[in-house]
Amino acid sequence: MGPLISCDDLLVTPSPQPPIEPTENSDHSGHAHAGHGPSPGHSHGHSHGHGPAAPVSKHLRKVIAAVLIPFATAVFVGMAVLWPGGAPGHERTGVGFDRQTQQARVVSLEQVDCKSVNAAQVPPTGEVSTPSGREARAAQTGECKKATVEVGSGSDKGRTFVEIVQPGAPRQLENGQEVVVAYAPDAPRDLQYSVIDVNRKLPLAVLAGIFALAVVLVGRMRGVFALIALVVSFGVLTLFILPAILQGSNPLVVAVVGASAIMLIALYMCHGLTARTSVAVLGTLVSLLLIGLLGSVFIDWAFLTGNTDDNTGLIHGLYPEIDMSGLLLAGIIIGSLGVLDDVTVTQTSAVWELHQADSTLGPRGLYRAAIRIGRDHIASVVNTLVLAYAGAALPLLLLFTIANSSMGAVANSELVAVEIVRTLVGSIGLVASVPVTTALAALVVSADRPDAGAAAPASGPVRGGRGRRRKR
């Protein structure tokens, strides 16, 4: 059985070179090279007969399959058992994201005196030391914008309403701008619609197109399959993980099953059905289990409820049966998966390439050489993970800085403690994935013994392997 096709080799047939007729005086034939190498594996015919990932023996493939097939079966059976069949319905509260929204467009815009339209809604206090006082004063003394907005979707399509935009409002409207409006059916008719956001679909779509183009231009077929895997990952997230949690399934179980499905589909789709990919899958799985264990211990120990802001409070209010701390742990597992894939695939590839460069290296030699690569990877990836979480929480950190809070007080706050646990648990799993995956890859690639039948075709029509050994 030959090597399976990976993403970067889709257009290349991983078959041996055409047979070369042996000559006794030629130094460029497969026989000449075979005589100088430390093993038959170094012959010209063998080294060119396989793609970037050499095939492994049938015995080793059976061992890997014996581990991964039951795991994959369990994952997809778990998905079938937990499959939600869609998110449960509920009566909208009209709060936050739980509102009816429609698309609309600003059809006209004019400048008006704020006082004439009573934009402040409250009398000025005369006290400008507070934000509310300053806003009230500016609203009565400045120039406001009177926007006429036309609803563009829904049953009220074509209906218009007026929106007053104060001079200090963070979101200023422009004529012809596409906006998102909220609909409150129980409000008076003149107040049923209000602008809550702008429509950003076009710039986001253009940015996504540029991203996809860059991935395909640089990654070629591997990039195409990476984009397909990305779509599948979002499909698992939106069609399985989120609805299953809303239906009342245990968030941790759902996250483990969903993350495992994403891992299997994405890794095998992008890197091929090879032993190399299988080792990366095993390393990722071990690291995810460690992250789940550590996250569970420290979320309970630190008394993290997972209910830290308006959005999580709204979720808890709408679906009180959801375990919010379990939801927090599920988020840690899913958030760590993407970085883990990168590390485990890189380490596995490093071990395989080192083995192909020097097949005399044993498991210890391969491990020592590959772990040096892994240490550099750890240093950069952990820093990336910490900075990613810090960047996401930057407005929150600014608020603590404005309040002149001490570092201890900031870290003790649940808002920040959640991010600390998320970052450190994910980083520990990331660090552990390097030695675990490297050790697995070194053991697997060193234990591999290519089948005699697989090597024979590479030597040409002559009775290759045994003939070369007799010459030596």
Side-chain angles (χ1 to χ4, degrees):
M1 178 176 176
L4 294 172
I5 300 173
S6 61
C7 291
D8 54 347
D9 301 321
L10 269 183
L11 301 180
V12 180
T13 303
S15 58
Q17 290 278 341
I20 300 174
E21 192 67 31
T23 59
E24 292 295 328
N25 298 326
S26 174
D27 290 335
H28 301 286
S29 67
H31 288 280
H33 281 277
H36 297 289
S39 67
H42 284 180
S43 69
H44 185 281
H46 181 83
S47 63
H48 285 263
H50 305 291
V56 296
S57 63
K58 289 182 180 178
H59 173 71
L60 194 54
R61 285 200 298 269
K62 289 179 181 178
V63 172
I64 294 173
V67 175
L68 288 176
I69 289 178
F71 167 65
T73 303
V75 168
F76 291 109
V77 168
M79 287 188 69
V81 171
L82 296 172
W83 192 263
H90 70 277
E91 186 177 350
R92 291 187 179 272
T93 63
V95 178
F97 288 104
D98 194 38
R99 290 180 285 188
Q100 298 182 41
T101 59
Q102 301 292 346
Q103 302 299 314
R105 186 172 64 90
V106 178
V107 293
S108 67
L109 198 65
E110 60 178 304
Q111 296 284 343
V112 295
D113 182 54
C114 292
K115 191 173 183 179
S116 65
V117 293
N118 192 24
Q121 301 295 323
V122 292
T125 60
E127 177 61 48
V128 294
S129 61
T130 62
S132 59
R134 288 193 295 270
E135 290 175 5
R137 175 61 60 88
Q140 285 203 343
T141 57
E143 287 288 325
C144 291
K145 292 180 180 179
K146 182 179 179 181
T148 302
V149 182
E150 181 180 353
V151 179
S153 63
S155 57
D156 288 332
K157 183 177 180 180
R159 176 177 166 182
T160 60
F161 67 95
V162 173
E163 181 89 5
I164 302 299
V165 183
Q166 300 181 13
R171 180 176 56 250
Q172 296 294 317
L173 300 180
E174 298 178 2
N175 194 17
Q177 188 175 32
E178 301 288 335
V179 295
V180 179
V181 296
Y183 175 60
D186 297 332
R189 180 173 174 80
D190 292 342
L191 302 176
Q192 285 182 334
Y193 283 97
S194 60
V195 177
I196 58 171
D197 211 340
V198 298
N199 191 330
R200 303 180 180 88
K201 291 181 179 179
L202 179 59
L204 292 180
V206 171
L207 182 59
I210 295 172
F211 163 73
L213 182 63
V215 170
V216 172
L217 286 177
V218 177
R220 299 187 179 181
M221 287 305 299
R222 184 180 290 254
V224 171
F225 277 84
L227 291 175
I228 295 174
L230 181 63
V231 172
V232 172
S233 299
F234 274 106
V236 173
L237 182 65
T238 56
L239 298 178
F240 171 69
I241 295 178
L242 299 180
I245 291 174
L246 290 178
Q247 290 281 14
S249 299
N250 186 293
L252 178 57
V253 175
V254 171
V256 170
V257 173
S260 299
I262 290 172
M263 173 183 66
L264 289 170
I265 295 170
L267 285 180
Y268 282 118
M269 183 175 289
C270 288
H271 303 285
L273 288 167
T274 63
R276 180 188 297 192
T277 309
S278 299
V279 172
V281 167
L282 290 175
T284 305
L285 177 62
V286 172
S287 303
L288 282 178
L289 292 176
L290 177 61
I291 289 173
L293 177 63
L294 286 175
S296 179
V297 169
F298 283 94
I299 286 174
D300 289 341
W301 193 5
F303 296 100
L304 299 178
T305 64
N307 191 357
T308 55
D309 56 24
D310 292 340
N311 293 327
T312 54
L314 179 59
I315 293 171
H316 184 63
L318 292 174
Y319 300 96
E321 68 278 4
I322 292 179
D323 179 10
M324 299 304 294
S325 60
L327 186 62
L328 171 60
L329 180 56
I332 293 175
I333 292 173
I334 294 172
S336 303
L337 177 61
V339 187
L340 277 176
D341 287 352
D342 174 45
V343 174
T344 55
V345 168
T346 300
Q347 283 306 112
T348 307
S349 297
V351 172
W352 245 262
E353 295 300 327
L354 288 167
H355 177 70
Q356 288 188 353
D358 185 0
S359 61
T360 61
L361 284 174
R364 290 187 179 182
L366 284 172
Y367 179 84
R368 292 194 195 99
I371 203 69
R372 287 194 291 270
I373 300 172
R375 291 190 186 108
D376 291 338
H377 206 182
I378 286 172
S380 60
V381 172
V382 167
N383 193 44
T384 300
L385 195 63
V386 172
L387 290 179
Y389 284 127
L394 197 58
L396 177 65
L397 297 177
L398 283 174
L399 287 177
F400 282 109
T401 303
I402 293 170
N404 292 323
S405 300
S406 65
M407 288 299 295
V410 170
N412 191 64
S413 167
E414 183 171 1
L415 277 170
V416 178
V418 164
E419 300 301 328
I420 292 174
V421 170
R422 193 194 309 271
T423 303
L424 296 183
V425 167
S427 298
I428 291 171
L430 198 62
V431 171
S433 70
V434 172
V436 168
T437 307
T438 305
L440 284 172
L443 289 173
V444 168
V445 79
S446 299
D448 181 33
R449 295 294 183 268
D451 301 324
S459 59
V462 180
R463 288 189 297 269
R466 284 193 287 268
R468 285 197 297 268
R469 283 195 290 272
R470 282 197 298 270
K471 286 185 178 183
R472 295 171 64 189

